[in-house]
Amino acid sequence: MASPPPKLPIPGRRNILITSALPYVNNVPHLGNIIGCVLSADVFARYCRLRGYNAIYICGTDEYGTATETKALEEKCSPKEICDKYHVIHDEVYKWFDIKFDKFGRTSAPEQTEVCQAIFHKLMENKWLTENTMQQLYCDTCERFLADRLVEGKCPTEGCNYEAARGDQCENCSKLLNPTELIDPKCKVCKNAPRIRDTDHLFLELPLLSDKLVNYINNTSVAGMWSQNAIQATNAWLKEGLKQRCITRDLKWGVPVPHEKYKDKVFYVWFDAPIGYISITASYTPDWEKWWKDPDNVELFQFMGKDNVPFHTVMFPSTLLGTGENWTMMKTISVTEYLNYEAGKFSKSHGIGVFGNDAKVTNIPSEVWRYYLLMNRPEVSDTLFTWADLQAKLNSELLNNLGNFINRVLSFVAKPAAGYDSIIPDAPNAESHTLTNALAEKTNKWVEQYLEAMEKVKLKQGLKSAMAISSDGNAYLQESQFWRLYKEDPAACAIVMKTSVGVVYLLACLLEPFMPSFSREVLRQLNMSPDEDLSFCDDKGETAKAKRPWDFISAGHKIGKPVPLFKELKDEEVEAFRIKFAGSQAERISKAQSDAEAKKVADKLKGTKLSEGSSKKKQSGGSKSKTAEDASVAKLDIRVGLIRKAEKHPDADSLYVEEIDVGEEAPRTVVSGLVKFIPLEEMQNRKVCVLCNLKPVAMRGIKSHAMVLAASSEDHSKVELVEPPESAAVGEKVTFAGFSGEPEASLNAKSKTWEKLSADLHSNGELVACYKDVPFTTSAGVCKVKTIANGDIR
């Protein structure tokens, strides 16, 4: 199917250009990202289409900058490979959430370089750019200048002191920073302390542009009804006094600076990223200037989270004003506060919260997620996501209110005997029916409030107004007692049902921006077409029909088959989700991978346990030849290893990264989920048992090439390392044989030698790692644990 031609502004129509903050490609978007930009903008774009406005919605992935280079280093690939990977992931997540872009592009596209460099040349011509020498952190170990996000340290802001502030902005207090301001900075790559070194850069002279900028802000913030949080964030920047802003960086991955002296540098991501709105429009249509250089006929609406505000109200407008060209400047900005998760914050960098791909695997439909996020949209203050609240809103508001109303109406109309056999009845003189007329007046008021809220981009209030119509509809059904009217007053019953079906259609229209898949299903049940019948335009007389809901659908129309629209979310499901999505994404991935690896090992080491003197067990089954299970155990390559170095994983709170010597030319990198159980200092320079022939697995961007064996208590609350004898040679194979020259026996063998060996060992009160009472053995002795008895090896 061919794509429709690009839309262009139409003279005499309301032309609306909508953008949302470009999501960065360093991770999967979480629910806070989704409600903060792409979902909110999608709701408004759908509303504009519903109303008959000529609107386009532009978005795409923000792909240049330090975060991409950092992620590429973590995943040991090129920045382009990272962008290709995560662009697809973002695209898939947004499609599942029913986000309808007119164009979802990329800032690494050629159009970005073309538009960005053209704007740069205009700024140079107009003398709004200056050269300056700045001090920047340089890492001698990595032999490179460190861009903002390659530096972490303590936030210098009084009262904050956040230990992991980035070089460009503190995630805790949202203060914009320079890397040199950090206290005790560290290179994010090698963890060493960088030094300050001079480097030349280009700066945008914001102080010289301040008169133009302030005039724009004063006029537009009023005319465009900027949200209060946007005004506050902008005024905070102005109050501090505008400063020069560096627009270049010592990086390789970005838009090259078209200047001979700076040809080895690229543009700072916050200079080029907002230009991405323009370049993505340019990839949508070659006539992009008709959208971006016609401020008299095009309105620009922008959606974002509060931490992005200054870049859109100060930096980007200043850049456009500095070119001297007639740009379509932002009219309205809609800003969200933070959506927090259960007891803490959503965090993409730390993997905290429910992510887009997580929502999909819950099997909770996308329209439920959309409804919950929008009803919980943090428009004026932070809001909180909890699983219990999601359950309450689904079961109470969607299932028992909205779904119940629609299903009661359509099911009654569809009944062949005690209903209308799916045919909408005629209802003359409906306005004379007192109860119906009262409903029409209420419905019209809610529609007026809905339209007012949506025009002002008060999306949560718009949704509440629409849902109130459903509540009134339920009350109308109850008060009318339509099931009795059918026999006692058929004419009145026909009025009630035709009116109620009209309200069902009205709800499908008003709720389409919020829950498009829900509206499509309702129209299917009404036997109507979403493409032809989903509209709520003034010029078609559709908004006026809210005063006469019985006129929405003609008598004689045959509806489709009604089915329930929502499914109850049960307590046990909610509890399971709460447990499943607890902790960080890294911890969840680590647990899943650990569980998978543990299962593999458990399958091979079935029956492995820890033994102590009081728990001697005799082997059963007599002397048999080795089983298939025994053969698989023999294939395990377990060796004595020495941890040369251990440190915390840079992006996972529960993981260690160890360099372990297992007797090979180079040490192996191993990732272990032991942070909660074993202090870092106890992980240094100690001997461990290492399972070496597992398939390498990437854990939060670092590939693990082996597994450290540990003992776990039965309730998994305690974990200890399995320790070989101190005198055991590094690289020596750990076996299940006797020592001191005893021949290796069948693991299922029943022999007095084994029984005596076990008894002698355990009589000393030592706890030994065993397989079916057979110790893990080296030439120097058996492998032990400290305190855990009768646990599992993992």
Side-chain angles (χ1 to χ4, degrees), residues 83 112 187 206 217 240 410 456 488 503 681 696 715:
C83 294
Q112 176 75 356
C187 170
L206 289 180
I217 291 171
E240 283 185 11
L410 299 188
K456 293 179 178 179
E488 298 174 5
V503 173
E681 59 270 19
D715 63 358

Side-chain angles (χ1 to χ4, degrees), residues 508-529:
C509 290
L510 300 185
L511 291 172
E512 192 277 340
F514 302 93
M515 297 186 290
S517 58
F518 156 82
S519 294
R520 289 194 296 269
E521 174 58 22
V522 172
L523 288 179
R524 187 197 67 77
Q525 294 186 28
L526 286 170
N527 194 23
M528 300 175 76
S529 167

Side-chain angles (χ1 to χ4, degrees), residues 389-420:
D389 189 36
L390 172 66
Q391 178 191 28
K393 283 186 167 55
L394 167 53
N395 293 347
S396 175
E397 298 172 18
L398 292 179
L399 178 63
N400 295 336
N401 176 7
L402 181 64
N404 178 60
F405 171 69
I406 294 172
N407 194 251
R408 288 179 77 188
V409 172
L410 299 188
S411 295
F412 190 80
V413 172
K415 284 182 179 180
Y420 297 95

Side-chain angles (χ1 to χ4, degrees), residues 241-258:
L242 294 176
K243 302 177 179 64
Q244 291 179 326
R245 291 296 294 188
C246 182
I247 66 166
T248 53
R249 286 293 183 269
D250 290 293
L251 293 171
K252 299 298 182 187
W253 181 244
V255 174
V257 179

Side-chain angles (χ1 to χ4, degrees), residues 247-301:
I247 66 166
T248 53
R249 286 293 183 269
D250 290 293
L251 293 171
K252 299 298 182 187
W253 181 244
V255 174
V257 179
H259 188 292
E260 183 61 29
K261 181 178 178 181
Y262 299 97
K263 63 184 179 181
D264 292 330
K265 300 179 191 290
V266 300
F267 287 117
Y268 175 39
V269 67
W270 272 115
F271 174 77
D272 88 274
I275 295 172
Y277 302 129
I278 303 170
S279 72
I280 293 170
T281 311
S283 67
Y284 169 65
T285 172
D287 295 320
W288 61 271
E289 290 186 345
K290 292 182 178 179
W291 283 107
W292 280 99
K293 293 186 177 180
D294 190 3
D296 294 331
N297 293 306
V298 176
E299 302 170 60
L300 175 57
F301 286 72

Side-chain angles (χ1 to χ4, degrees), residues 404-692:
N404 178 60
F405 171 69
I406 294 172
N407 194 251
R408 288 179 77 188
V409 172
L410 299 188
S411 295
F412 190 80
V413 172
K415 284 182 179 180
Y420 297 95
D421 199 14
S422 300
I423 305 297
I424 305 297
D426 195 9
N429 303 315
E431 63 274 9
S432 64
H433 188 260
T434 304
L435 189 62
T436 298
N437 202 45
L439 174 71
E441 288 181 4
K442 289 180 185 176
T443 299
N444 186 57
K445 286 181 180 179
W446 286 124
V447 168
E448 288 176 350
Q449 291 184 28
Y450 170 90
L451 295 175
E452 182 183 4
M454 297 300 286
E455 291 294 331
K456 293 179 178 179
V457 202
K458 303 295 184 185
L459 305 183
K460 186 192 295 187
Q461 186 55 50
L463 179 54
K464 288 181 177 178
S465 297
M467 290 297 291
I469 295 173
S470 175
S471 299
D472 286 346
N474 272 311
Y476 173 67
L477 291 180
Q478 283 301 110
E479 195 171 348
S480 71
Q481 296 189 11
F482 64 93
W483 58 93
R484 293 177 58 186
L485 288 179
Y486 183 75
K487 290 183 178 180
E488 298 174 5
D489 190 345
C493 188
I495 291 172
V496 170
M497 297 320 296
K498 191 170 189 290
T499 301
S500 296
V501 171
V503 173
V504 168
Y505 170 77
L506 176 63
L507 286 168
C509 290
L510 300 185
L511 291 172
E512 192 277 340
F514 302 93
M515 297 186 290
S517 58
F518 156 82
S519 294
R520 289 194 296 269
E521 174 58 22
V522 172
L523 288 179
R524 187 197 67 77
Q525 294 186 28
L526 286 170
N527 194 23
M528 300 175 76
S529 167
D531 295 330
E532 297 175 11
D533 298 312
L534 201 60
S535 176
F536 202 63
C537 301
D538 295 342
D539 55 4
K540 294 180 182 179
E542 290 156 341
T543 50
K545 286 184 181 178
K547 299 175 183 177
R548 300 169 57 86
W550 51 84
D551 284 344
F552 275 118
I553 300 180
S554 301
H557 174 81
K558 186 173 183 178
I559 68 169
K561 182 182 178 182
V563 293
L565 291 160
F566 301 102
K567 180 184 175 184
E568 181 184 9
L569 187 60
K570 300 184 182 301
D571 291 343
E572 55 269 26
E573 293 176 291
V574 170
E575 186 58 29
F577 290 142
R578 186 183 290 112
I579 294 170
K580 182 174 182 177
F581 297 109
S584 72
Q585 198 180 34
E587 290 168 338
R588 299 198 296 262
I589 292 171
S590 173
K591 183 179 184 303
Q593 291 173 337
S594 298
D595 289 347
E597 291 297 335
K599 187 177 185 304
K600 291 179 186 176
V601 176
D603 289 342
K604 293 177 181 179
L605 287 175
K606 196 171 182 181
T608 300
K609 60 180 182 292
L610 300 174
S611 301
E612 60 180 336
S614 61
S615 62
K616 289 189 294 180
K617 296 179 181 178
K618 293 186 178 182
Q619 303 291 327
S620 62
S623 59
K624 295 182 181 179
S625 62
K626 285 189 177 183
T627 63
E629 179 187 300
D630 299 330
S632 68
V633 171
K635 292 178 182 177
L636 295 179
D637 181 12
I638 303 175
R639 302 183 211 167
V640 175
L642 177 64
I643 301 177
R644 297 289 187 188
K645 179 184 176 183
E647 60 186 8
K648 286 190 175 181
H649 194 298
D651 286 317
D653 296 337
S654 66
L655 301 178
Y656 285 132
V657 180
E658 305 111 17
E659 297 295 325
I660 304 180
D661 183 355
V662 291
E664 298 170 336
E665 286 187 9
R668 293 198 186 196
T669 299
V670 180
V671 181
S672 306
L674 297 170
V675 170
K676 292 182 178 179
F677 305 103
I678 300 172
L680 182 59
E681 59 270 19
E682 293 183 17
M683 292 290 292
Q684 311 293 340
N685 298 307
R686 69 181 294 174
K687 288 182 178 177
V688 289
C689 292
V690 184
L691 182 56
C692 293

